């Protein structure tokens, strides 16, 4: 009682002035005006790059590395040829394109150095917002200094063929505005260089044979709406089996206007995007990541990434990336200390699948590494057979414990699990990986620490026997010669090559020929699919080629329909996925049957495909699949949710919310969450506690303000669930009228309520007149814009305090 009296006195002493905060207005800057032309008049800009002279340090360092059995390591390139390597790639002719950073510590701001800017940073919703508050705080001189250093791309070659780089030159630089981040991703395809450097996805070309980029174009602009942590950049460039470019960003987030004029706004988490090679068709592919630095596809077309942990009790995650996936992270949690990371930790969002996790997230495949950086999938040649179907993942820890992990994934339900874990190399401060044309895997070395050193190395890790395999020479020759000039029959034969790179190049060449007007590739690809003796790789790449062709010639996709009855789960699963991508209505009946398949992976692809085809009459079968799964598989649940969202029959979604099955009601709820529908409040009175909690999460965390009042009303029937009650109390605070103030007070005075919750209620009343700018649960910038009813909290508390005072005085008067 004494504590309650003191709290009440404190509340009465509050200043009851109103408070409102309005975020700065967003701006949409066109891509062609994103940055000045740094190549004006053919003059390449000069910058004071600091790079160390040559030494024997790189060669000496090899002695300290620990290698997997039978492997060797040799130095390919070192300073001054390369320095500060963030990412690199190797083209088909064996040329290395190296993304070097010089803006780390010179022009890229880290929030940890400016915590007094935190709320402005969290409030930032566009790159223009970010530039504006940086200018206000830093002033003209500092802003000028931020342009002294530029990111750059270098070409590095072994022209003598002796296994060591002997030539290098700058391919592109001039990435040096206040908005520029760390240039963290590079991809080369047929002479076109793609480069990710906040705020742009760049396309660079040497159209004059000058040896450096003579033209550059921003394909997309608007990445990096806040400072966040340095290293949470635009990166991860990878060509997908569908011929699209995939790339990722950390929780510096994005607000991007596409070439078609659509707005993509993802302000609070890291994400994966994809687009066509010319930048058209940009899509937000998935969200809820913290800092996914690199992406890799396996031989079956599945996409994966390593997502960095926040060093606050959580662990780094290996994630299976699917369209529409939400992996749980929100940037506000980074800055919560009590409890650390807030709900991300307390609600086990980073854990492998557990029964009491939130249902809106997709849990990781596994927990691996401490600082996931570059990753890569084995193409099939150049290394020992024990690495077949393995991924390789850089673990950048800033010290001698850094290593490259190797592992496989194998199906587990509709997702996967990690198996065959090993370490390829330890002791190298690895940032990225690439396959060379000479066999072996190449590893870039930051050398030491977390800040740039002016040093950098690229090592080759290999096995003598595997590198000497004649197949390696064949791969090198095929890649160097190219594929455009090859005939259809030869390309069809190469679809079954052992090396994934050769299969993919043959696939792309066949698709290009067909799109250009040649019907022969389509007939040949159809024949591959019709032949029951065709090998699995040939079928997979033929399907992907036909899906690419069908974007211009829609009927080409129909050749995949018979494969829905294939005995190979990988084949029929990908067939369903590709048919869904092209919205092939003729395939709907065949895909519908796959919802009863023995393989959860096939069911997953089938449900997604039906959602994209969009036929309302398939909803009952989709819900039957969900009902049978009993909410046991997060990826099947996700497939059901996405199908409902894509079909977009809201009456059917509401009806599903009244289904006897809790699993069906859950997918209905999660569909409403994605659609931000107020009707989600119907689940707050559900008989299943998990459904009620998930509804509360959606209403408070998204937020869905139209349902906030119904969530607040649950204070009248308090729960013992901590995750639910925190959101119920917060909802009362955010609604913010006399009724909810009364409700909080009654709750605080209730002897039956949990003392911790009662204290929370009093704290909320204490903040009533001047609510914080950040939400108490998500820690995101969400000012309460509606004016408070002046004095509401005081009016509610005043009679209570008077009674308490009277009682206290009477007890002190002697009889």
């Amino acid at each position: 009682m004494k504590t309650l009296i003191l709290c009440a006195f404190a509340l009465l002493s509050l200043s009851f002035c109103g408070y409102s905060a309005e975020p700065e207005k967003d701006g949409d800057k066109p891509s062609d005006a994103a940055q000045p032309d740094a190549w004006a008049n053919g003059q390449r800009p000069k910058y004071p790059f600091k790079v160390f002279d040559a030494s024997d340090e790189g060669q000496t360092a090899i002695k300290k590395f620990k290698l997997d059995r039978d492997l060797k390591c040799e130095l390919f390139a070192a300073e001054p040829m390369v320095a500060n390597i963030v990412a690199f790639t190797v083209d088909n002719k064996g040329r290395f394109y190296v993304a070097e950073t010089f803006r780390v510590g010179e022009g890229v701001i880290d929030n940890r150095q400016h915590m007094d800017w935190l709320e402005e940073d969290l409030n930032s919703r566009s790159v223009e917002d970010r530039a504006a508050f940086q200018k206000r705080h830093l002033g003209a001189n500092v802003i000028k200094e931020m342009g002294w250093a530029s990111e750059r791309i270098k070409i590095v070659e072994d022209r003598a063929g002796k296994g060591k780089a002997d030539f290098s030159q700058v391919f592109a630089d001039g990435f040096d505005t206040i908005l520029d981040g760390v240039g963290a991703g590079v991809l080369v395809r047929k002479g076109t260089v793609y480069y990710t450097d906040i705020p742009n996805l760049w396309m660079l070309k040497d159209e004059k044979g000058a040896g450096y980029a003579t033209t550059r174009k921003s394909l997309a602009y608007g990445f990096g709406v806040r400072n966040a942590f340095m290293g949470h950049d635009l990166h991860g460039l990878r060509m997908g089996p569908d011929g699209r470019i995939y790339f990722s960003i950390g929780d510096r987030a994005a607000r991007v206007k596409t070439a078609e004029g659509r707005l993509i706004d993802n302000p609070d988490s890291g994400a994966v995007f994809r687009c066509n090679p010319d930048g058209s068709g940009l899509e937000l592919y998935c969200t809820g990541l913290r800092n996914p630095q690199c992406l890799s596809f396996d031989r079956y077309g599945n996409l994966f990434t390593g997502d960095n942990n926040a060093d606050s009790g959580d662990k780094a995650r290996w994630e299976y990336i699917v369209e529409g996936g939400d992996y749980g992270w929100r940037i506000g949690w980074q800055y919560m200390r009590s409890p650390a990371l807030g709900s991300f930790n307390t609600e086990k969002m980073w854990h492998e699948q557990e029964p009491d996790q939130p249902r809106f997230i997709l849990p990781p495949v596994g927990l691996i590494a401490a600082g996931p950086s570059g990753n890569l999938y084995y193409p099939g040649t150049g290394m020992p057979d024990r690495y077949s179907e393995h991924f390789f993942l850089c673990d950048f820890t800033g010290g001698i414990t850094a290593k490259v992990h190797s592992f496989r994934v194998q199906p587990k339900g509709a997702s996967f699990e990690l198996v065959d874990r090993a370490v390829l190399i330890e002791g190298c401060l690895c940032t990225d990986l690439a396959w060379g044309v000479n066999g072996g895997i190449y590893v870039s070395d930051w050398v030491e620490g977390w800040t740039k050193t002016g040093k950098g190395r690229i090592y080759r890790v290999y096995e003598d026997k595997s590198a000497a395999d004649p197949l390696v020479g064949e791969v090198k020759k095929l890649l160097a010669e190219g594929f455009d000039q090859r005939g259809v029959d030869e390309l069809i034969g190469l679809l079954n090559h052992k090396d994934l790179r050769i299969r993919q190049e043959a696939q792309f060449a066949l698709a290009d020929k067909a799109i250009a007007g040649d019907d022969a590739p389509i007939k040949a690809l159809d024949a591959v699919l019709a032949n029951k003796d065709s090998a699995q790789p040939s079928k997979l790449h033929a399907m992907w080629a036909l899906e690419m062709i069908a974007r211009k010639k829609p009927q080409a996709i129909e050749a995949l329909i018979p494969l829905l009855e294939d005995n190979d789960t990988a084949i029929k699963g990908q067939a369903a996925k590709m048919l869904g991508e092209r919205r092939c209505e003729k395939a709907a009946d065949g895909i519908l049957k796959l919802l009863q398949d023995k393989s959860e992976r096939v069911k997953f692809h089938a449900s997604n495909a039906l959602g994209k085809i969009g036929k309302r009459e398939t909803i009952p079968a989709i819900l039957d699949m969900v009902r049978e799964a009993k909410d046991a598989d997060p990826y099947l649940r996700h497939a059901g949710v996405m199908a409902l969202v894509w079909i977009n029959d809201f009456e059917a979604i509401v009806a599903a919310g009244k289904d006897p099955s809790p699993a069906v009601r859950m997918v209905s709820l999660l569909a409403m969450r994605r659609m931000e529908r107020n009707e989600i409040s119907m689940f707050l009175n559900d008989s299943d506690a998990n459904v009620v909690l998930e509804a509360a999460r959606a209403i408070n965390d998204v937020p869905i303000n139209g349902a906030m009042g119904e969530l607040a009303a649950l204070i009248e029937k308090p729960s013992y669930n901590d995750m639910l009650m925190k959101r119920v109390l917060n909802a009362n605070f955010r609604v913010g009228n006399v009724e909810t103030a009364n409700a909080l007070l009654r709750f605080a005075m209730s002897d039956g309520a949990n003392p911790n919750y009662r204290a929370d209620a009093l704290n909320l009343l204490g903040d009533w007149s001047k609510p914080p700018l950040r939400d108490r649960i998500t820690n995101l910038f969400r000012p309460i814009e509606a004016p408070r009813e002046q004095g509401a909290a005081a009016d509610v508390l005043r009679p209570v305090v008077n009674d308490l005072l009277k009682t206290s005085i009477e007890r002190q008067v002697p009889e």
Side-chain angles (χ1 to χ4, degrees):
M1 180 61 73
K2 180 179 179 181
T3 301
L4 189 58
I5 294 173
L6 292 173
C7 290
F9 272 123
L11 290 164
L12 280 176
S13 67
L14 290 171
S15 170
F16 297 112
C17 59
Y19 180 85
S20 64
E22 183 178 347
E24 294 181 34
K25 187 176 180 181
D26 291 346
D28 291 309
K29 194 172 183 180
S31 298
D32 58 3
Q35 297 196 32
D37 184 3
W39 300 88
N41 302 317
Q43 298 297 314
R44 293 191 292 158
K46 304 295 183 182
Y47 299 96
F49 296 135
K50 180 181 178 181
V51 176
F52 275 77
D53 293 332
S55 72
D56 61 356
E57 289 181 10
Q59 188 65 45
T60 302
I62 295 175
K63 299 175 183 179
K64 298 179 181 180
F65 296 163
K66 297 178 181 178
L67 299 166
D68 199 5
R69 67 182 190 276
D70 302 325
L71 297 183
K72 293 183 177 181
C73 180
E74 64 183 21
L75 182 66
F76 174 75
E79 65 276 0
M81 199 165 284
V82 289
N84 310 327
I85 304 170
V86 181
F88 73 105
T89 191
V90 182
D91 73 4
N92 286 352
K93 294 184 182 296
R95 294 174 295 204
F96 288 63
Y97 288 75
V98 182
E100 300 179 323
T101 182
F102 292 88
R103 288 181 60 77
V104 169
E106 301 290 341
V108 181
I109 293 172
D110 189 302
N111 254 355
R112 287 165 287 195
Q113 300 167 351
H114 299 281
M115 290 302 290
D116 53 320
W117 302 358
L118 180 58
E119 288 188 339
E120 287 178 282
D121 200 44
L122 290 173
N123 183 32
S124 183
R125 286 296 181 268
S126 69
V127 292
E128 287 75 27
D129 283 352
R130 173 165 63 89
F133 80 73
Q134 287 179 188
K135 289 176 181 177
R136 282 198 306 272
H137 287 288
L138 296 175
N141 289 336
V142 177
I143 295 301
K144 183 178 180 180
E145 291 174 4
M146 290 176 67
W148 288 358
S150 168
E151 303 301 79
R152 71 182 183 187
I153 304 170
K154 291 189 78 175
I155 297 178
V156 180
E157 297 181 56
D158 170 18
R159 291 186 168 181
K162 296 182 179 180
K164 290 188 177 181
D166 52 26
F167 172 85
S168 71
Q169 72 177 38
V170 175
F171 179 75
D173 60 5
F175 307 98
D176 59 358
T177 75
I178 184 176
L179 293 175
D180 274 283
V182 173
V186 60
L187 171 70
V188 182
R189 170 128 180 91
K190 297 175 71 171
T192 298
V193 178
Y194 299 92
Y195 181 53
T196 49
D197 176 39
I198 283 175
N200 293 286
L201 167 63
W202 292 106
M203 182 170 70
L204 309 164
K205 293 184 179 181
D206 174 10
E207 295 183 328
K208 300 179 181 179
Y212 58 85
T214 56
T215 62
R216 69 178 184 174
K217 177 183 178 182
S218 173
L219 298 182
Y221 166 87
F223 302 99
V225 304
R226 63 173 57 87
N227 294 319
F229 285 5
M230 188 156 45
H232 290 213
D233 302 304
L234 190 64
H235 35 214
L237 283 163
R238 192 73 70 191
M239 183 70 74
D242 56 2
R244 295 186 178 97
I245 295 172
Y246 289 73
F247 58 100
S248 60
I249 192 169
D251 54 17
R252 296 188 67 182
R255 180 182 173 87
V256 180
K257 183 173 284 188
T258 70
E260 297 79 16
R262 291 178 294 104
L263 181 66
I264 297 177
D265 190 18
N266 183 59
D268 297 318
S269 75
V272 173
F273 298 82
R274 70 177 181 182
C275 66
N276 295 318
D278 64 357
S280 65
L282 179 68
E283 297 175 291
L284 179 64
Y285 195 70
C286 76
T287 61
L289 296 163
R290 182 176 178 271
N291 190 24
Q293 292 199 11
C294 199
L295 305 169
S296 287
F297 288 89
D298 68 10
R299 59 175 293 183
Y300 305 102
N302 303 302
L303 178 60
F304 297 86
T305 191
D307 196 15
N308 279 260
N309 60 313
D311 297 320
S312 297
D314 60 325
K315 294 184 179 180
R317 305 176 287 172
W318 183 251
E319 300 279 17
Y320 170 37
I321 298 299
V322 299
E323 189 170 4
D326 186 336
Y327 297 86
W329 178 259
R330 301 294 185 269
I331 185 144
W333 289 323
Q334 181 68 63
Y335 308 102
M336 295 188 78
R337 292 292 175 263
S338 183
L341 304 185
S343 297
F344 191 68
N345 265 349
T346 61
E347 300 184 24
K348 302 179 180 179
M349 294 190 194
W350 55 267
H351 289 225
E352 295 178 58
Q353 184 182 351
E354 294 193 19
D356 55 351
Q357 283 176 315
R359 300 308 199 262
F360 77 92
I361 70 164
L362 290 173
V365 171
L367 306 175
I368 188 170
S373 185
N375 65 64
L376 206 58
Y377 183 75
Y378 182 47
T381 64
M383 290 287 277
D385 288 342
R386 66 178 180 271
Y387 295 122
S388 177
E389 299 193 9
H390 272 63
F391 289 91
F392 299 87
L393 173 64
C394 291
D395 193 354
F396 184 93
T397 61
I400 61 173
T401 58
K403 59 181 70 73
V404 176
H405 299 272
S406 73
F407 55 89
R408 284 193 307 112
V409 299
Q410 66 182 19
K412 181 180 181 182
S415 182
F416 300 88
E417 63 181 345
L418 292 179
V419 294
D420 293 349
R421 293 175 59 166
V423 173
L424 181 83
I425 181 173
E426 185 173 2
C428 171
L429 193 50
C430 45
T431 59
D432 202 10
L433 305 163
W435 296 110
V437 296
N438 295 319
I441 186 171
Y442 288 81
V443 183
S444 57
D445 184 3
W446 185 258
V447 182
E448 60 188 37
W450 294 94
T451 58
K452 64 181 184 290
T453 62
K455 301 177 181 180
R457 289 92 192 236
I458 298 176
Y459 293 99
R460 178 187 177 219
V461 177
Y462 66 101
E463 182 206 46
D464 281 331
K465 179 181 177 182
S466 299
D469 188 334
L471 199 56
V472 171
E474 178 184 303
V475 168
K476 181 179 180 179
K477 182 173 183 293
L478 287 168
L479 291 174
E481 291 174 348
F483 295 78
D484 292 345
Q485 80 285 1
R486 301 184 189 277
V488 170
D489 289 344
E490 182 183 6
L491 292 170
I492 290 292
L494 292 175
L495 293 181
N496 194 38
H497 196 279
K498 186 176 180 181
D499 193 288
L500 176 58
R501 293 169 292 182
I502 303 300
R503 299 198 301 270
Q504 192 167 74
E505 290 291 351
Q507 169 201 322
F508 291 163
L510 287 163
D512 288 344
K513 289 177 184 291
I515 291 170
D518 187 351
D519 290 334
I522 298 177
K523 294 178 181 178
L525 291 165
D526 288 351
V528 170
L529 300 186
N531 184 355
K532 65 179 182 180
D533 294 326
S534 292
Q536 185 197 64
S538 294
K539 285 187 175 181
L540 285 170
H541 287 277
M543 284 192 291
W544 293 328
L546 286 168
E547 192 275 328
M548 294 173 67
I549 296 166
R551 296 172 207 167
K552 299 292 185 181
K553 300 180 179 182
Q555 289 185 339
I557 202 66
E558 294 178 10
L560 276 63
I561 295 176
L563 296 180
L564 297 172
E565 299 180 4
D566 200 280
N567 292 326
D568 187 329
T569 57
I571 296 296
K572 58 186 172 183
Q574 284 297 308
K577 182 180 180 180
M578 295 301 102
L579 289 161
E581 285 279 356
R582 293 298 98 222
R583 276 72 171 172
C584 181
E585 292 192 14
K586 290 183 179 180
D589 290 342
I591 296 174
L592 199 63
K593 295 177 183 177
L594 295 184
L595 292 176
Q596 301 298 319
D597 197 86
K598 294 180 180 179
S599 167
E600 283 83 359
R601 299 267 315 126
V602 171
K603 292 178 183 178
F604 170 79
H605 288 306
S607 182
N608 282 327
L610 291 170
K612 289 199 168 188
I613 292 170
K615 298 181 74 171
R616 297 179 179 181
E617 54 267 36
T618 62
I619 290 177
I622 293 168
L623 295 180
D624 284 343
M625 182 271 291
V626 170
R627 185 178 295 108
E628 183 180 345
K630 298 180 180 179
D631 203 34
D633 191 312
Y635 278 78
L636 286 184
R637 178 175 62 236
H638 174 72
V641 171
M642 295 310 300
L644 291 180
V645 171
W646 283 327
I647 295 172
N648 195 24
D649 182 343
F650 193 68
E651 289 185 6
I653 293 173
V654 172
K658 301 173 184 177
D659 193 274
S661 165
V664 172
R665 299 200 300 276
M666 185 65 77
V667 299
S668 168
L669 183 164
L670 295 173
M672 289 189 194
R673 175 191 172 110
R674 287 174 177 269
M675 301 166 88
E676 298 187 20
R677 295 293 297 246
N678 296 337
E679 292 87 346
I680 199 170
S681 62
M682 65 186 281
F683 297 103
L684 293 172
N685 297 307
D686 198 274
S687 59
D688 187 286
N690 287 325
V691 172
V692 175
L693 174 57
E694 203 63 39
R697 279 195 184 102
I699 294 167
N700 182 86
D701 299 4
V702 171
I704 303 175
N705 291 319
M708 200 69 71
E710 287 85 348
L711 176 58
L714 290 188
I715 198 171
E716 302 301 335
K717 45 180 180 180
S719 166
Y720 289 103
N721 186 297
D722 183 67
M723 296 172 282
L724 174 60
M725 282 310 301
K726 285 183 177 180
R727 289 174 171 88
V728 170
L729 295 173
N730 194 46
N732 279 272
F733 179 69
R734 295 194 70 86
V735 171
N737 55 31
V738 173
E739 289 75 17
T740 57
N742 268 307
L744 286 170
L745 180 62
R746 287 195 302 271
F747 182 82
M749 298 289 290
S750 171
D751 290 335
N754 184 306
N756 292 329
Y757 302 154
R758 294 170 66 191
D760 282 346
L762 284 171
N763 287 330
L764 289 169
L765 288 168
D767 288 336
W768 196 267
S769 65
K770 192 174 181 180
L773 297 175
R774 285 180 267 166
D775 182 78
R776 295 176 71 249
I777 307 299
T778 65
N779 206 34
L780 295 173
F781 191 90
R782 287 179 182 164
I784 295 175
E785 297 177 0
R788 293 292 198 185
E789 295 185 28
Q790 298 301 307
D795 291 341
V796 167
L797 286 168
R798 190 170 285 108
V800 178
V801 173
N802 288 338
D803 286 345
L804 290 171
L805 287 171
K806 181 179 178 182
T807 302
S808 178
I809 291 170
E810 288 175 350
R811 287 180 177 176
Q812 295 179 44
V813 175
E815 295 184 3

